[in-house]
Amino acid sequence: MEIARHWRLRHERLQMVGEICRNEGCEKKIFPPRDICPYCNQPANIEQKFSGRGTVYSYTVVVDNPPAGFEKYVPYVVALIDLEEGPRVTAQLTDLETRWVPKMIDGEEREVMEYELKI
């Protein structure tokens, strides 16, 4: 992502700011913000700050072949989160508890790190 676009989008990304559709009867909460509601095709420009709290819908642990620039962060967890307010977002999860568990790899038992995380 180019620098100019990154700075334009920092408010919504760092502060979890989206929008609410202003069409009566729809009033869906939208993240990231859009000019037009994807549900009813009407203007959606009432600012909504989301709590950032939600439930893990699904997740994966990135270990092999991370995107360029993220090699030094592996392993890391990327999840789909259903926010309390409604929208589903993609986020990297941090500060997760871990544990070491035995696992058979190529016919050999090894200790591997596992994240304490559930859907």
Side-chain angles (χ1 to χ4, degrees), residues 50-116:
F50 296 102
S51 67
R53 291 185 303 274
T55 304
V56 175
Y57 175 80
S58 184
Y59 72 93
T60 189
V61 179
V62 178
V63 178
D64 297 321
N65 303 314
F70 289 85
E71 298 87 357
K72 65 182 177 183
Y73 301 110
V74 294
Y76 61 92
V77 178
V78 176
L80 291 172
I81 308 292
D82 288 335
L83 295 177
E84 288 177 348
E85 297 87 357
R88 180 174 290 161
V89 299
T90 304
Q92 181 178 348
L93 302 184
T94 60
D95 302 326
L96 296 170
E97 296 293 325
T98 59
R99 63 175 179 233
W100 291 93
V101 296
K103 190 171 187 178
M104 292 298 287
I105 300 173
D106 296 331
E108 180 181 336
E109 186 172 294
R110 298 183 192 173
E111 291 283 315
V112 296
M113 185 177 66
E114 215 174 66
Y115 290 95
E116 298 209 16

Side-chain angles (χ1 to χ4, degrees), residues 11-38:
H11 179 65
E12 68 191 43
R13 291 187 177 163
L14 298 178
Q15 296 182 16
M16 295 291 295
V17 175
E19 292 178 331
I20 299 175
C21 177
R22 64 180 174 170
N23 184 28
E24 196 171 318
C26 179
E27 299 166 351
K28 296 274 190 184
K29 295 177 179 160
I30 304 162
F31 186 87
R34 298 176 179 99
D35 292 334
I36 301 295
C37 174

